[in-house]
Amino acid sequence: MSRTALRICPLCEATCGLTLTIEGDRVTGARGDGEDVFSAGFICPKGAAFPELDGDPDRLRHPMVRRNGELRECGWDEAFTAVADGLRPLIGEHGPDAVAVVLGNPNVHTVAGALYPPVLLRALGTRNLYTASTVDQMPKHVSSGLMFGDPFAIPVPDLDRTDHLLLIGANPLDSNGSLCTAPDFPGRLKALRRRGGRLTVVDPRRTRTAKLADRHVAIRPGTDALMLAAVAQVLFEEKLTDPGRLDGLVDGVPDVRSLLAEFTPEAVAGPCDVPAAEVREIARELAAAPTAAVYGRVGSSTVEFGTLAGWLVDVLNTITGNLDRPGGAMFPLAATARAPRAARPGKGFVLGRWRSRVSGHPEIKGEFPLAALAEEIDTPGEGRVRAVISLAANPVLSAPDGERLDRALAGADFVVSVDPYLNETSRHADVLLPPPPPSRSPHHDFAFNNFAVRNQVRYTRAPLPPEAGRPDESEILARLILAVGGDPLGDPGTVDRTVVDVTLTAAVADPESPVHGRDAAALAADLAGRDGAERRLDLMLRLGPYGDGFGAEPGGLALERLLANPHGIDLGPLVPRIPKVLRTRSGRVELCPEPVAADVRRLRRALGTRPDGLVLVGRRHLRSNNSWMHNLPALTGGSNRCTLQVHPQDADRLGLADGATARVTGDGGELQVAVEVTDAVRTGVVSLPHGWGHDRPGTRLTVASAEPGVNVNQLLDGSRLDPLSGTAVLNGFPVRVAPLD
Ligand SMILES: Nc1nc2c(c(=O)[nH]1)N[C@H]1C(S)=C(S)[C@@H](COP(=O)(O)OP(=O)(O)OC[C@H]3O[C@@H](n4cnc5c(=O)[nH]c(N)nc54)[C@H](O)[C@@H]3O)O[C@H]1N2
Ligand SMILES: Nc1nc2c(c(=O)[nH]1)N[C@H]1C(S)=C(S)[C@@H](COP(=O)(O)OP(=O)(O)OC[C@H]3O[C@@H](n4cnc5c(=O)[nH]c(N)nc54)[C@H](O)[C@@H]3O)O[C@H]1N2
Ligand code: SF4
Ligand SMILES: [Mo]
């Protein structure tokens, strides 16, 4: 007796619709949903492994609490009471900043992770917020914040219509794309080439994506900002700029021109190790394409000049007239986003409103660098972080210097972890709260629809009912919020009711809202949904850009329409959104923001250099995901291995043989790892993937700990950051490599 159920895949940013086969209370199969309005049947090996991932016997089913030093299973009421008992006295004595909140990557892949962390942060009032952004995309938030006034206004390449894609430091054939949500990214790149378009890939490794390209530029890591500056310089020099429709809406073009004047192709050729003539060709091709998009991701972000690279990507999009036009780089509009308002100046984006205690790092978007978490816990003194609430995060492996963080967490007064696994980070929990597997959770992409190459909306309810007595993740987080406030056994529904109340009270008072002047309580009573999370989704849909406005827009979106369209609702191709999307103080695109201009001075110092040391870059494997998918036999083995890739010439020079063990040394430590000799990396560069190092005691990762690998982030001491964004330099940092004698 089997049935099928739909479930949007939560395992990467592509958000494919899956059709699950369900037998009894287990998922036994997964295939692509051919009728999904966005993914149209696409599935990758990770999606296909959904049943195994969902049913992993190492997933925790009961909460755990530490008593007399030992973690043991307990009941849910006991767990939330322990949270309140642990946190309340610390907050009472030391204030809210004594509690750090750490938000990890899967929060953007769950309904709960979108809806509750903001409420938790407001309830706590702590300034100690650390997220995966500062080991990932924070540079892009900063460049967008400064240029467009909204850190979330991140243009995405209009993949299906562009004639030319300049792709920098991304490998979507393995990652399936990031800050560019596009199911079947590989197929969309092939379609670009089939329709006569051109693909250029800039990457120090010859990746599967690079193999698909018309041009592969094997740049020296960390130098993309220099190359992009030179591309802009050529465009200015050769009078190839034309902002098109945005002419008159962009400030600072002449300033950028003079700022970049000395970044000639000749001046960057040495540090980038890219011939000047090739930089000129890249610029001319970009200008000549009928439409083009420049797109940079992780390899251009978690680097020394990450914010400058993110900025230059959009400088190029703007001065070639490709920003905000079909076929260029565009701003998606999600169904649960705020409805657009009339164009007008905004508050702008301000950096460094407060600073971290130990190193004085400026806050960025309300966050401190994840790389600074350990020092905030282990450095004594007034204002020390004493407790940590970690939601879906494994910073012991994903942040620089995990060993220091490991020790810091062990020494913290109190740690709460919401995580399905007992792993490198959650083993430090005093209370561990495991959410149910994805088959028992609903899904809607609150985050990724803001970066999708086509506007669309989908919602899938949990394919399986909750196990008896087990809360879903939304309820876990709502109860955590109550526990932090001292009411561990309270009704979690009050959290959602309060949010609905506050939102509607503001909406009815807002002259631009479709519900202006109506009765908030009556609107709240009209919300559909079988739990608080669903009612909040209904609320956001109805007040959103395509919403029914509670009757003001008949036929508009509401939860019921999504439930009636289980394969999703297509909302059409991306449409131009400037000037409404802008929130800068000028109300215009600010092409030359002052903090960026100041940082260009740092970039200038790299001009004319010719570095010759060895640097390390990462890599992602198709059948892996950061630190938490090494526990499934179906996804491990084969080429998914934690090896140090070394170019044959470097291997010769260093005396390293394929399969031998190398000793790798960086600022933060040393590790030993097997060598893989391959010309897929360029000379002067070695590559080691992240998320490995599953050999710590006290975890429950049967498969992963049998093939633990090493933690690349141990090579870092946490001091190398992109200064404007606080983002860790995870790519292009210096290492020494020698054979293990
Ligand atoms: N050297 C190097 N380091 C890197 C990177 C790199 O390229 N190189 N990449 C960086 C990037 S881009 C990122 S995003 C970070 C990611 O780093 P993290 O944010 O730490 O995320 P993950 O490593 O994916 O770990 C996610 C945790 O969430 C848990 N989890 C899984 N599903 C769920 C769920 O449904 N609910 C809850 N509550 N928990 C869940 C997992 O068990 C795991 O403990 O790593 C960064 N670190
Ligand atoms: N299969 C799989 N999919 C994933 C993940 C995963 O771990 N596995 N993680 C998910 C997450 S959290 C994210 S953020 C996305 C990331 O998705 P992507 O941004 O596509 O990330 P990567 O695959 O790491 O690709 C980064 C590329 O940059 C290159 N690179 C390194 N340094 C430099 C440099 O200085 N300059 C240039 N031009 N290139 C450089 C690397 O060689 C690498 O090929 O993937 C997501 N999807
Ligand atoms: S591409 Fe991403 S969303 Fe699609 S099936 Fe694979 S892991 Fe899931
Ligand atoms: Mo990420």
Side-chain angles (χ1 to χ4, degrees):
M1 273 289 287
S2 75
R3 64 181 175 98
T4 61
L6 300 174
R7 173 64 158 92
I8 301 164
C9 180
L11 304 180
C12 88
E13 298 181 35
T15 73
C16 302
L18 304 182
T19 305
L20 304 180
T21 307
I22 302 205
E23 290 175 53
D25 63 354
R26 284 189 327 127
V27 181
T28 56
R31 57 193 156 84
D33 171 17
E35 289 171 70
D36 184 283
V37 295
F38 196 24
S39 63
F42 184 77
I43 188 170
C44 83
K46 275 194 291 185
F50 187 108
E52 198 174 300
L53 178 130
D54 199 71
D56 185 350
D58 279 342
R59 275 181 187 269
L60 306 174
R61 302 177 64 168
H62 304 281
M64 302 182 90
V65 62
R66 193 173 300 276
R67 302 279 183 216
N68 304 321
E70 243 176 81
L71 263 185
R72 60 162 185 78
E73 287 183 359
C74 68
W76 288 95
D77 284 353
E78 184 184 347
F80 289 110
T81 305
V83 171
D85 291 349
L87 289 177
R88 293 302 295 168
L90 288 175
I91 298 171
E93 194 175 338
H94 305 286
D97 292 341
V99 184
V101 174
V102 182
L103 302 178
N105 170 273
N107 283 299
V108 286
H109 294 277
T110 63
V111 165
L115 295 181
Y116 298 90
V119 187
L120 174 69
L121 288 165
R122 272 199 301 277
L124 264 175
T126 177
R127 284 187 168 177
N128 276 302
L129 171 62
Y130 303 80
T131 83
S133 296
T134 50
V135 283
D136 187 348
Q137 83 289 358
M138 190 62 100
K140 201 67 206 182
H141 289 304
V142 172
S143 69
S144 279
L146 294 171
M147 295 174 84
F148 311 124
D150 176 356
F152 290 95
I154 295 177
V156 305
D158 188 6
L159 218 50
D160 297 337
R161 290 182 290 182
T162 194
D163 299 295
H164 186 106
L165 182 62
L166 174 53
L167 187 146
I168 301 145
N171 181 17
L173 261 76
D174 288 329
S175 70
N176 282 303
S178 182
L179 292 187
C180 177
T181 280
D184 194 14
F185 207 125
R188 291 174 203 257
L189 288 182
K190 287 173 197 150
L192 160 73
R193 298 212 47 220
R194 266 202 311 277
R195 66 179 177 266
R198 213 178 146 77
L199 173 66
T200 295
V201 172
V202 182
D203 197 310
R205 298 187 306 121
R206 196 174 63 252
T207 59
R208 289 172 62 221
T209 310
K211 284 182 194 152
L212 206 71
D214 298 278
R215 181 195 289 281
H216 171 212
V217 183
I219 195 169
R220 178 175 285 127
T223 65
D224 299 84
L226 287 166
M227 193 191 83
L228 295 173
V231 170
Q233 191 275 340
V234 172
L235 294 173
F236 284 122
E237 183 69 32
E238 301 189 357
K239 300 197 167 44
L240 297 174
T241 62
D242 174 13
R245 182 181 72 86
L246 296 188
D247 209 13
L249 284 167
V250 183
D251 279 353
V253 181
D255 303 322
V256 173
R257 181 188 176 129
S258 55
L259 194 62
L260 300 181
E262 59 194 285
F263 292 86
T264 60
E266 287 70 23
V268 306
C272 297
D273 199 14
V274 178
E278 186 161 26
V279 176
R280 284 212 162 74
E281 282 170 31
I282 291 169
R284 290 172 189 155
E285 285 168 11
L286 189 64
T291 63
V294 186
Y295 162 70
R297 245 336 245 133
V298 160
S300 70
S301 182
T302 52
V303 290
E304 197 181 347
F305 301 109
T307 301
L308 290 181
W311 165 69
L312 284 160
V313 160
D314 288 325
V315 164
L316 292 177
N317 283 322
T318 307
I319 63 178
T320 54
N322 283 301
L323 183 70
D324 201 37
R325 79 157 167 201
M330 304 191 76
F331 300 97
L333 185 58
T336 47
R338 257 186 98 137
R341 344 205 91 211
R344 60 176 171 233
K347 292 202 192 105
F349 179 69
V350 184
L351 298 162
R353 294 164 296 174
W354 52 85
R355 290 189 170 259
S356 70
R357 179 182 65 105
V358 179
S359 292
H361 294 298
E363 66 73 38
I364 320 277
K365 219 163 72 40
E367 302 182 22
F368 291 134
L370 188 59
L373 175 60
E375 68 179 24
E376 291 296 332
I377 303 172
D378 69 16
T379 309
E382 184 63 24
R384 181 171 79 83
V385 166
R386 290 159 194 276
V388 173
I389 301 178
S390 170
L391 308 182
N394 192 7
V396 168
L397 293 190
S398 41
D401 199 353
E403 270 162 37
R404 181 172 180 185
L405 189 55
D406 205 31
R407 286 192 302 272
L409 289 170
D413 293 6
F414 197 71
V415 176
V416 181
S417 180
V418 179
D419 205 288
Y421 285 106
L422 188 53
N423 66 14
E424 297 76 15
T425 298
S426 64
R427 73 193 179 108
H428 293 295
D430 292 284
V431 180
L432 177 45
L433 305 165
S439 63
R440 298 182 194 267
S441 320
H443 198 73
H444 168 74
D445 282 293
F446 286 99
F448 297 119
N449 287 345
N450 292 300
F451 309 111
V453 298
R454 194 168 172 96
N455 292 319
Q456 40 66 46
V457 57
R458 294 163 294 157
Y459 175 63
T460 47
R461 277 185 163 158
L464 282 165
E467 282 180 277
R470 264 190 93 171
D472 73 0
E473 190 159 7
S474 289
E475 187 178 333
I476 291 172
L477 296 188
R479 290 195 68 179
L480 181 61
I481 292 164
L482 293 178
V484 164
D487 185 17
L489 304 181
D491 167 15
T494 56
V495 172
D496 299 305
R497 282 195 291 275
T498 306
V499 173
V500 168
D501 245 28
V502 170
T503 312
L504 282 171
T505 305
V508 297
D510 174 2
E512 281 186 77
S513 167
V515 295
H516 180 238
R518 293 178 62 182
D519 175 43
L523 297 176
D526 194 39
L527 288 172
R530 55 187 184 192
D531 56 26
E534 281 198 347
R535 281 188 288 277
R536 288 177 62 189
L537 171 60
D538 192 37
L539 175 66
M540 292 167 80
L541 289 167
R542 297 177 79 176
L543 293 180
Y546 314 88
D548 77 352
F550 288 83
E553 301 286 344
L557 286 182
L559 179 68
E560 275 163 3
R561 267 197 68 202
L562 286 198
L563 293 173
N565 291 274
H567 306 283
I569 298 172
D570 182 44
L571 300 168
L574 306 186
V575 293
R577 292 190 54 208
I578 288 179
K580 280 190 177 174
V581 76
L582 302 175
R583 285 289 170 270
T584 50
R585 293 169 76 103
S586 61
R588 297 141 66 85
V589 175
E590 293 180 5
L591 207 65
C592 194
E594 195 278 322
V596 163
D599 202 29
V600 169
R601 269 175 236 134
R602 194 170 56 97
L603 187 63
R604 211 165 271 149
R605 291 202 288 272
L607 279 176
T609 60
R610 191 176 278 279
D612 56 7
L614 208 54
V615 295
L616 186 144
V617 301
R619 66 178 187 271
R620 284 176 158 75
H621 192 278
L622 180 61
R623 289 179 301 127
S624 185
N625 190 39
N626 299 329
S627 74
W628 71 280
M629 279 185 207
H630 297 137
N631 206 47
L632 306 174
L635 293 181
T636 42
S639 56
N640 186 9
R641 290 189 305 142
C642 184
T643 57
L644 184 77
Q645 295 186 337
V646 186
H647 188 275
Q649 278 175 25
D650 289 325
D652 268 2
R653 186 169 57 84
L654 298 164
L656 295 167
D658 191 68
T661 304
R663 184 199 303 273
V664 188
T665 315
D667 303 338
E670 174 183 298
L671 44 81
Q672 295 175 9
V673 61
V675 170
E676 178 186 345
V677 177
T678 165
D679 66 359
V681 282
R682 53 157 286 160
T683 54
V685 179
V686 293
S687 170
L688 189 60
H690 71 285
W692 294 85
H694 306 290
D695 50 2
R696 289 177 167 79
T699 64
R700 191 185 298 170
L701 299 166
T702 314
V703 178
S705 58
E707 198 70 58
V710 293
N711 178 10
V712 64
N713 287 325
Q714 205 47 53
L715 297 172
L716 293 160
D717 65 5
S719 63
R720 285 179 195 270
L721 303 180
D722 167 43
L724 275 181
S725 67
T727 302
V729 176
L730 305 173
N731 279 294
F733 60 84
V735 288
R736 294 191 305 282
V737 180
L740 183 72
D741 35 44

